[in-house]
Amino acid sequence: MRPGKTRFAPSPTGFIHLGNARTALFNRLAGERFLLRIEDTDRERCRAEYVAAIIEDLQWLGIDWDEGPRSAEADDYFQSRRQAIYDRYYTRLEQAGSAYPCFCSPEELAQIRARQRAAGQPPRYPGTCARLSPEEVEARLARGLKPTLRFRVPPGRQIAFDDLIRGPQAFRSDDIGDFIIRRADGTPAFLFCNAVDDALMAVTHVLRGEDHLANTPRQLLILEALRLTPPRYGHLPLILGEDGAPLSKRNGSRSIRELRQQGYLPLAVVNLLARLGHHYREEALLTLAELSEGFDLAAIGKSPARFDPQQLDHWQKQAVHAADDATLWDWLDEATRALIPASCRSEFLSLVRSNCLFPKEARRWAEILFGDAGAPDPEARRVLEQTPAEFFQAALETARRHPEDYQAFVAELKRLAGVKGKRLFQPLRAALSGRLDGPELERLYRLPGPGRVQTRLAQWITHQC
Ligand code: GLU
């Protein structure tokens, strides 16, 4: 059965990159309903401009949400706006004896951890403040100390859950020290508000990075103590870079912004991401609706996925090929659009579809076809220099006779010049575009218009003399 409600819950501390975009996409593809929640409780690191960027990048990717903010202006889906809700749940936990104020200072806690490490023990809160009497708590508060709030982990429990990806998981509560759920400044700790919000927002399934696996038993304990229904959790394997290390800036991760600026199309990025650790039987480029239809939690791999930049270019090629005219037109840069006569627009875009991966390549072809072709590249120059002037003379005369009819032009030139195949096409291609590769010759003949074609052919007659 398809998950009911999934979510993406980014902390706006930076731009989204391939890793968290994949998390967003998997959740989007998996669920019937999808919500966006902004986890902005870390006041020092969160910035409104990143919220705006996250929204814009998700929209650019085509990942839309059924619930959640539409702008960077904080609403009920921003955790910074939900303090009153968290406060109510803190009170409940304190009243039930499931949470207590902790007055240990960061320095004391660091010393405790250092001692535990030196003794070969895992760092764990030893429960110093767990047994303070109400009077002792009062006295400390009266001294102006600002406590954190710790969750009291029940002893001797086994916390088991069935991970959507990794299968059955079990943790011993005795391995988990009492942990902080409210910071000394009153703001909620991630573990707490993240779990409470998933329950209150009726999220049924959470797919997130495997770095969160150890948080899950803690969050299940919190929700159990509050009698709230937990979602089902699934932990996605890491994405590795080409060097086998976790994907990071150093080994090839890029932000969605960067990819967009480099000219990648959203459908290319989305087709790559959807296959990073998820297997589709279909190898062709798929729309978001098709990706969603074919998405299956059981098809998520358990081992790390590897990011291969060549794969990204493979999908880019497919996406450019499949793009409609309006999409490609928008994708070209302003200067390129300005070069293209309205009557040639559609044909130029067909050329782009089969010859270009990025807007800058389209620009180069627009310059060649509609601007000044510039100097030929060395290979084209060699061909031009080896071709006798008579060939270009014959080509120019034939072009004058058949300015609009490429087929007639080629057939006649073939006869007049007595050459065919490569010896016919290469010099023409070189003269018309300054390159030996590129679009069909017919396009190089038709798109620039008779005047430009004839000038270019003529140029190589005089050049030879
Ligand atoms: N705000 C958390 C993060 O960005 C969300 C983790 C989760 O998906 O539960 O890592």
Side-chain angles (χ1 to χ4, degrees):
M1 215 183 62
R2 225 176 155 68
K5 198 196 267 190
T6 55
R7 51 76 165 169
F8 179 50
S11 305
T13 55
F15 296 120
I16 53 173
H17 48 84
L18 289 169
N20 38 25
R22 179 189 68 158
T23 303
L25 180 67
F26 276 25
N27 280 287
R28 176 73 196 102
L29 297 178
E32 292 289 351
R33 277 182 79 74
F34 174 64
L35 81 84
L36 174 66
R37 183 175 69 233
I38 305 296
E39 303 212 320
D40 58 344
T41 56
D42 185 341
R43 289 179 195 154
E44 312 244 292
R45 295 177 57 226
C46 293
R47 301 228 298 260
E49 68 189 81
Y50 291 132
V51 178
I54 288 168
I55 289 177
E56 194 181 294
D57 290 350
L58 290 175
Q59 282 172 340
W60 179 76
L61 285 168
I63 301 178
D64 200 9
W65 48 99
D66 306 292
E67 282 174 53
R70 297 277 148 199
S71 77
E73 200 173 314
D75 65 10
D76 289 350
Y77 290 88
F78 284 62
Q79 291 188 322
S80 56
R81 283 296 198 89
R82 300 172 62 80
Q83 186 68 39
I85 299 175
Y86 307 137
D87 287 343
R88 273 207 304 281
Y89 286 97
Y90 288 133
T91 308
R92 275 199 208 173
L93 287 178
E94 283 188 282
Q95 283 171 350
S98 296
Y100 59 85
C102 170
F103 296 89
C104 297
S105 67
E107 297 72 31
E108 285 165 328
L109 294 170
Q111 279 170 12
I112 294 168
R113 278 197 297 273
R115 274 202 301 278
Q116 288 171 329
R117 246 194 309 273
Q121 296 161 351
R124 189 173 308 148
Y125 184 63
T128 321
C129 294
R131 285 165 296 276
L132 292 180
S133 67
E135 295 73 32
E136 287 169 311
V137 169
E138 276 314 314
R140 284 172 171 73
L141 290 175
R143 287 199 342 248
L145 294 179
K146 295 261 175 285
T148 60
L149 190 67
R150 277 188 192 270
F151 184 79
R152 198 187 296 276
V153 175
R157 286 273 308 277
Q158 156 119 327
I159 307 138
F161 67 96
D162 197 11
D163 189 286
L164 293 164
I165 296 159
R166 305 159 73 103
Q169 306 289 312
F171 295 81
R172 282 158 26 100
S173 70
D174 291 341
D175 291 337
I176 304 174
D178 295 350
F179 54 88
I180 293 175
I181 53 176
R182 187 176 65 205
R183 302 186 191 106
D185 65 3
T187 59
F190 155 75
L191 278 172
F192 180 82
C193 49
N194 175 271
V196 166
D197 282 343
D198 281 337
L200 296 183
M201 295 178 180
V203 171
T204 61
H205 293 69
V206 167
L207 297 175
R208 60 183 180 181
E210 68 176 14
D211 47 326
H212 287 293
L213 183 61
N215 292 329
T216 302
R218 292 167 172 80
Q219 296 190 300
L220 289 171
L221 286 174
I222 294 171
L223 294 176
E224 180 191 82
L226 289 170
R227 295 201 172 76
L228 292 173
T229 309
R232 290 205 53 197
Y233 292 96
H235 294 89
L236 296 167
L238 283 176
I239 304 176
L240 305 179
E242 282 188 292
D243 57 0
L247 190 61
S248 68
K249 267 224 155 68
R250 238 178 345 94
N251 62 2
S253 183
R254 277 172 270 174
S255 69
I256 299 304
R257 292 234 120 198
E258 281 171 281
L259 294 173
R260 179 177 169 184
Q261 279 152 11
Q262 285 165 10
Y264 284 97
L265 284 169
L267 207 53
V269 179
V270 156
N271 268 268
L272 174 93
L273 291 174
R275 290 168 170 93
L276 270 181
H278 177 280
H279 178 73
Y280 281 94
R281 239 172 299 151
E282 185 58 70
E283 285 179 7
L285 185 86
L286 297 175
T287 62
L288 267 160
E290 290 163 341
L291 286 170
S292 178
E293 204 170 301
F295 195 84
D296 183 0
L297 290 177
I300 300 178
K302 289 190 177 54
S303 41
R306 209 173 263 256
F307 167 66
D308 174 359
Q310 282 177 358
Q311 276 298 315
L312 183 55
D313 287 355
H314 161 80
W315 291 116
Q316 172 74 352
K317 193 169 174 190
Q318 311 284 320
V320 172
H321 205 81
D324 60 22
D325 278 8
T327 306
L328 282 187
W329 187 251
D330 281 350
W331 176 72
L332 299 180
D333 54 51
E334 195 58 52
T336 310
R337 286 197 289 256
L339 284 168
I340 304 165
S343 59
C344 298
R345 187 182 288 190
S346 183
E347 187 164 0
F348 181 76
L349 293 177
S350 303
L351 174 158
V352 167
R353 244 176 231 116
S354 20
N355 290 279
C356 304
L357 272 190
F358 297 104
K360 63 175 188 295
E361 295 167 14
R363 175 157 182 183
R364 178 86 189 98
W365 280 110
E367 282 164 358
I368 288 175
L369 294 168
F370 309 115
D372 172 11
D377 69 20
E379 285 175 354
R381 173 170 292 279
R382 206 171 315 120
V383 168
L384 289 164
E385 284 170 357
Q386 283 165 1
T387 306
E390 295 77 47
F391 175 86
F392 295 110
Q393 183 68 50
L396 176 61
E397 284 161 17
T398 315
R400 282 191 184 129
R401 278 193 294 277
H402 303 290
E404 309 289 346
D405 186 345
Y406 169 76
Q407 297 303 340
F409 162 74
V410 169
E412 193 172 314
L413 180 60
K414 189 171 162 182
R415 199 160 37 76
L416 283 179
V419 289
K420 56 182 182 177
K422 227 165 104 174
R423 293 191 43 225
L424 172 66
F425 297 119
Q426 274 202 341
L428 282 177
R429 183 176 279 286
L432 295 182
S433 72
R435 296 166 64 154
L436 296 184
D437 62 339
E440 299 94 311
L441 193 50
E442 180 165 359
R443 293 209 158 115
L444 300 183
Y445 186 79
R446 284 224 318 265
L447 282 169
R452 224 183 247 109
V453 163
Q454 288 165 28
T455 310
R456 287 180 189 176
L457 293 171
Q459 179 190 345
W460 292 99
I461 305 171
T462 46
H463 199 86
Q464 298 277 324
C465 295

